[in-house]
Amino acid sequence: MNTTEKYKFKSETKQLLHLMIHSLYSNKEIFIRELISNASDAIDKMRFTMLSKNINDQLPYNMCIRIKIDKKENKIIISDNGIGMTKDEIIQNLGMIANSGTKKFIQNIKNINHQDYQFIGNFGVGFYSSFIVSKKVIVITKHMDLKNEDYGIKWTSEGQGEYIIETITKKEHGTDIELYLKDTEIEFLEDWKIKNIIQKYSNHISIPIEIQQYDDKNKTLSWKQINQGQALWMRNKSEIHNKEYEEFYYSITQDKNKPLTWIHSTVEGTHEYTCLLYIPNKSTWSILDQENKNNGLKLYVKKIYIMDDANQFLPNYLRFIKGILDTNHLPLNVSREILQDDKNTNILKKSLTKRILTLIKKISTEEPEKYKVLWKEFGSMLKEGVAEDIQNQETIAGLLRFTSINHNSPEQTLSLNEYINNMNKQQEKIYFITAENYEAANTSPYLEIFRNNKIDVLLLSERIDDWMMHYLTTFKNKKFQSINKVDPDSEKLFNKISDKIKITPEKQKFLNKIQHILQENIISVRFSKRLINSPAVLIANAHAISPHMSKLFQAAGQKIPLTKYIFEINPTHPLIQKMISIQETDKINIWIQTLFDQALLSTHGTLKNPNHFIKNINQLLTD
Ligand code: ADP
Ligand code: MG
């Protein structure tokens, strides 16, 4: 029995349709890509259901997407023999805001510029693009589970405020989308035009796409396949053009920049798999991308799409990698939970990680310009890897790039290998300093003695550096040493200034005074062997937590015990010489407190009580 019911679109849908038609008009041809993508999804879903229910390993007939052009009625029909929809599903999927992505889309659509049209596929709103060119759209569908012919559904809408649903008879499962073109859009009735659009956007679709052709001579109709029709990653590498790799990248990532590079390989053996992995050119490429993560690694099992964002197969620090993984070694009905615990997952993860690191290493040695881009965009993620992936730590550390005091520029281009090659003969350790920013690192008083002795020091000033250096303790058997920590080894390297300093009773008395006044705040006080131009500096114990790190902890609301330092002062500095001669107790107290605050400020970048410091300085200036 046929029934007809009228429904109203949810209000957001109306708004969406309006926005969509007006904002995307300049890229209206994308409606074809969107409808083909839906048809391909529907066929994938059906294949998936059949195989996972073990209905039949041999699928019953040819699955394909067919396009028919009807010039008499100004109509295009896009058909698939996929899973189809039930009545409830069609109301859900085409009549209302199906997911939260739609709202985001509405909020963002005004900011989209014309090149960003690729993004619409990300928001679950692709179907509505058919209204950009159509005055009326009819969807005829039947779900694969409903065997009875009477369960067909016809959905009709003019994209205004409402749609009509009728029950009809339909023999085969699947969906036909009938587009009644607006009078202004009849250019889409040309089959060469449709072919071009499909070759541009949808060539990688692994299901055959056929178009109906009329043979003038024989007066016959026939179907002609217009796409490659094979999953790109299953094709022979040597037959794939770079352009095809790039198009495929665009289609899976919605990134409009060319990828930096990619690897495509098939690994045979017990854990056979094929992967096609891309390194993008930019870390984030769109205002719309931030919360939209659906473009990590796509998992396929036996060429059937299983899930997006299969991040179980990559370590977190390689999350910038995009692409696909196709394996025969997982069940089709695999879930994220199963993946998490599966031992195959781990084996694949290790193998993929190795492959990617090898690729990155190759770029770093063979293509320095590309590596610059990669380092700039993803360097901080590789730094995470140093801490996250202990097994590959040495490899990842070899990929790191630094700046140093010999470098005279904040640009990070120095590798650890280069640093080691340029090491001073007696030097055994790799020296580094971490600070809030490059300037602070580069002007730090700790560097004076290193500069003076021509020993290079790595200058680290990114947020993640302190944390990374906590994990990175050696490279090629060379220890890392923070130069603001106690280290008897490094002192051996320096021409000892201190040997020339005589500790007179007067000087000793001065040290005692400092010890007395600052006893709450310091471990000890001593004359410095490292200072040349600065009056004083604070040295931390070998295992002390760095100032930067303690700030991070504090920002996260954790209580950190006050770090105490060794206070080193420079007896050759005019300021210290002057201080030694001061006799009045009140006055010397202010001097010593100020000297200490100064050193603290230089180490920490901030003071607990800056006003106190300013008051003391003002007092000294007035005197
Ligand atoms: P998305 O594809 O991102 O989910 P669309 O607006 O393109 O968003 O489609 C909405 C939904 O409508 C799809 O998720 C799917 O459930 C359903 N749908 C659309 N086209 C078809 C089709 N040809 N066969 C079966 N279901 C479809
Ligand atoms: Mg879609």
Side-chain angles (χ1 to χ4, degrees), residues 281-317:
N281 228 316
K282 286 234 172 325
S283 49
T284 49
W285 47 75
S286 157
I287 41 161
L288 303 179
D289 186 55
Q290 283 142 15
E291 285 171 65
N292 191 16
K293 297 203 313 189
N294 275 2
N295 42 31
L297 200 62
K298 286 179 192 291
L299 175 67
Y300 286 74
V301 172
K302 301 182 186 123
K303 286 179 273 183
I304 294 177
Y305 167 76
I306 306 294
M307 64 175 83
D308 269 330
D309 248 350
N311 47 17
Q312 292 83 351
F313 295 97
L314 285 178
N316 191 41
Y317 70 96

Side-chain angles (χ1 to χ4, degrees), residues 111 188 213 215 337 382 408 416 434 522 524 554 556:
N111 304 329
F188 291 106
Q213 287 197 322
D215 184 341
E337 290 67 40
L382 291 178
N408 285 328
L416 290 175
T434 55
I522 60 173
S524 63
Q554 273 164 357

Side-chain angles (χ1 to χ4, degrees), residues 212-229:
Q212 191 174 49
Q213 287 197 322
Y214 181 69
D215 184 341
D216 250 345
K217 242 211 253 129
N218 302 322
K219 308 253 179 285
T220 53
L221 283 167
S222 63
W223 294 100
K224 184 164 183 281
Q225 183 168 335
I226 44 180
N227 65 334
Q228 277 275 357

Side-chain angles (χ1 to χ4, degrees), residues 34 37-38 41 126-127:
E34 292 305 317
S37 142
N38 286 349
D41 287 351
F127 169 77

Side-chain angles (χ1 to χ4, degrees), residues 57 105 186 197 286 296 298 350-351 432 493 515 527 596:
D57 252 348
F105 178 80
I186 50 170
I197 298 171
S286 157
K298 286 179 192 291
K350 264 195 197 146
S351 173
F432 72 95
L493 288 172
Q515 177 70 44
F527 285 122
F596 176 71

Side-chain angles (χ1 to χ4, degrees), residues 14 33 105 140 150 161 182 200 205 213-214 222 231 256 289-290 404 462 478 509 514 569 582 616 618:
K14 260 190 343 205
R33 181 193 65 190
F105 178 80
I140 290 170
D150 296 336
K182 294 175 185 169
K200 184 163 161 198
I205 297 267
Q213 287 197 322
Y214 181 69
S222 63
K256 57 182 185 291
D289 186 55
Q290 283 142 15
S404 74
E462 283 175 4
K478 300 266 186 284
K509 213 173 120 197
I514 296 181
I569 55 174
I582 296 175
N616 281 345
N618 288 344

Side-chain angles (χ1 to χ4, degrees), residues 227-287:
N227 65 334
Q228 277 275 357
Q230 192 186 4
L232 180 84
W233 60 93
M234 286 302 176
R235 285 165 55 196
N236 199 328
K237 242 158 98 167
S238 60
E239 291 164 7
I240 307 176
H241 296 293
N242 285 355
K243 264 217 122 25
E244 288 180 272
Y245 278 121
E246 284 164 13
E247 269 309 321
F248 184 69
Y249 172 77
Y250 300 141
S251 77
I252 60 167
T253 62
Q254 275 80 39
D255 184 1
K256 57 182 185 291
N257 302 294
K258 269 191 191 177
L260 194 69
T261 188
W262 57 84
I263 30 168
H264 177 191
S265 45
T266 298
V267 176
E268 321 240 309
T270 29
H271 287 88
E272 196 177 304
Y273 69 86
T274 299
C275 65
L276 172 51
L277 306 172
Y278 294 86
I279 301 179
N281 228 316
K282 286 234 172 325
S283 49
T284 49
W285 47 75
S286 157
I287 41 161

